[in-house]
Amino acid sequence: MGDLAVGARSGHDGPEEQPERPDGSATPATNDVTGSGSDSGDGGGGTKEQGEQEPKPKKPRSFWKELPLLIGIALVLALLIKTFLVQAFSIPSDSMQNTLQQGDRVLVDKLTPWFGSEPSRGEVVVFHDPDNWLAGEPTPNPNAVQTFLSKIGLMPSANEKDLIKRVIGVAGDTIECKGTGPLKVNGKALNEESYVYAGNTPCSVDDQGGQFKVTVPKGKIWVMGDHRQNSLDSRYHQQDDHQGFVPVGNVVGRAIVIAWPPTRWDTLPIPDTFDQNLSAAAPGALGLAGAVPLVLWRRRRLTAGNPRVSGRGTAG
């Protein structure tokens, strides 16, 4: 027995004899736990070949490596939003009090003009200076960072050539101010108490433009500030090339929200006074109304002078 055990450990080629049990029976053979692939329970799948390794998962990029990409995407999105959707503007003066205060930041809708929408009466709009209205006004001098951020829309526009006023009349409207008011559009008085600065009169009594009667040409609008006695608006630029009117193409968009400061958060809806029917009569309708009496008068004369035509209008 001892010799056999030594032989097994030393690599003897012969079959190893199983030791006898005390009761004289042979020890049962054990199963081979590393059986061939055909014996596996998956019907022949077997184990992976020796040396084959599973692919290691990719190590995620660090935050600092992805940060420049995130910043780039954010800047592109901000530029697209500023160009096509919404842009912030800062209020530089008191001409729109109390609707807007100096230093307010407003968000301007730039999307709807892309679909052909034109300004409507009562809207507060931002527009490019049409005829050097801002001559003599102090010029902003932003630093390089402010200029860059304003260009991509992350800060209010630093463009000193933009103004903000309320649209009073559109193409075809006749607008009139006599005495202290009320202001009239196509002969109908506007009730402006809800937005005209407290203590102001709707019309200004002066000979520089406060008293006027104008008809808005096609493709133009007439604008006025809510602080009527502190606003150099369309009234005071009637001697300019555009005669005080603002070309629709100069309009950047409609101011829809006061976004800053938080204590001033509010929307900028169209006042109820503009809900009344202010439309001017169409020229075709006016022409027809004037032609009907003339045709009847002419027909009456022909009938009276022709004995062959009866009063019933049929040939005799």
Side-chain angles (χ1 to χ4, degrees):
M1 288 287 291
D3 293 339
L4 289 175
V6 171
R9 292 191 185 96
S10 61
H12 190 277
D13 292 337
E16 182 179 350
E17 293 185 13
Q18 300 294 334
E20 292 183 354
R21 298 175 117 191
D23 58 0
S25 60
T27 303
T30 57
N31 292 329
D32 186 358
V33 297
T34 60
S36 66
S38 60
D39 293 332
S40 63
D42 60 358
T47 58
K48 292 188 177 181
E49 296 181 2
Q50 186 176 3
E52 182 180 351
Q53 297 180 352
E54 293 188 8
K56 295 181 179 179
K58 291 184 178 180
K59 186 178 180 180
R61 298 174 67 181
S62 69
F63 170 77
W64 296 110
K65 289 183 178 180
E66 292 189 349
L67 183 60
L69 177 61
L70 295 175
I71 293 176
I73 293 174
L75 292 178
V76 170
L77 290 175
L79 181 60
L80 291 174
I81 291 172
K82 177 251 184 181
T83 303
F84 299 106
L85 299 179
V86 177
Q87 184 175 357
F89 285 85
S90 179
I91 306 305
S93 71
D94 297 327
S95 67
M96 283 295 293
Q97 285 182 321
N98 273 329
T99 303
L100 299 173
Q101 302 287 351
Q102 186 172 353
D104 283 354
R105 267 66 167 176
V106 297
L107 297 182
V108 174
D109 168 25
K110 301 178 69 175
L111 178 63
T112 50
W114 285 92
F115 294 95
S117 176
E118 294 190 356
S120 300
R121 302 182 197 93
E123 292 181 350
V124 176
V125 296
V126 171
F127 56 94
H128 300 312
D129 190 342
D131 279 311
N132 205 23
W133 289 15
L134 293 172
E137 294 289 332
T139 303
N141 188 25
N143 58 40
V145 175
Q146 291 173 325
T147 300
F148 173 73
L149 293 178
S150 68
K151 285 184 179 298
I152 62 173
L154 296 181
M155 281 189 66
S157 172
N159 188 347
E160 71 277 10
K161 298 299 182 182
D162 293 333
L163 300 98
I164 185 165
K165 305 289 181 188
R166 189 179 299 278
V167 179
I168 301 298
V170 296
D173 288 343
T174 297
I175 308 165
E176 181 178 7
C177 256
K178 287 185 178 180
T180 58
L183 176 66
K184 293 183 178 180
V185 176
N186 298 323
K188 297 179 180 179
L190 298 182
N191 181 357
E192 301 186 284
E193 292 182 2
S194 65
Y195 57 88
V196 166
Y197 184 74
N200 279 191
T201 54
C203 298
S204 301
V205 182
D206 59 55
D207 57 359
Q208 284 82 44
Q211 304 290 287
F212 62 90
K213 184 175 183 179
V214 297
T215 299
V216 184
K218 184 178 180 180
K220 305 288 179 62
I221 58 175
W222 181 269
V223 299
M224 296 172 67
D226 290 352
H227 197 339
R228 289 291 159 80
Q229 275 76 61
N230 189 24
S231 176
L232 295 177
D233 45 45
S234 289
R235 298 170 292 170
Y236 300 102
H237 295 278
Q238 296 183 61
Q239 306 306 316
D240 296 344
D241 290 343
H242 290 102
Q243 299 177 325
F245 303 109
V246 177
V248 170
N250 282 41
V251 176
V252 176
R254 175 187 172 186
I256 52 176
V257 172
I258 303 173
W260 190 266
T263 55
R264 295 269 302 149
W265 282 350
D266 202 358
T267 58
L268 295 170
I270 296 176
D272 292 340
T273 189
F274 291 94
D275 289 339
Q276 59 179 314
N277 183 16
L278 298 173
S279 298
L286 291 176
L288 180 61
V292 169
L294 180 63
V295 170
L296 293 176
W297 173 78
R298 179 177 174 80
R299 180 179 177 82
R300 204 162 35 243
R301 286 197 61 186
L302 291 174
T303 302
N306 189 347
R308 298 183 60 188
V309 179
S310 68
R312 296 179 61 186
T314 58

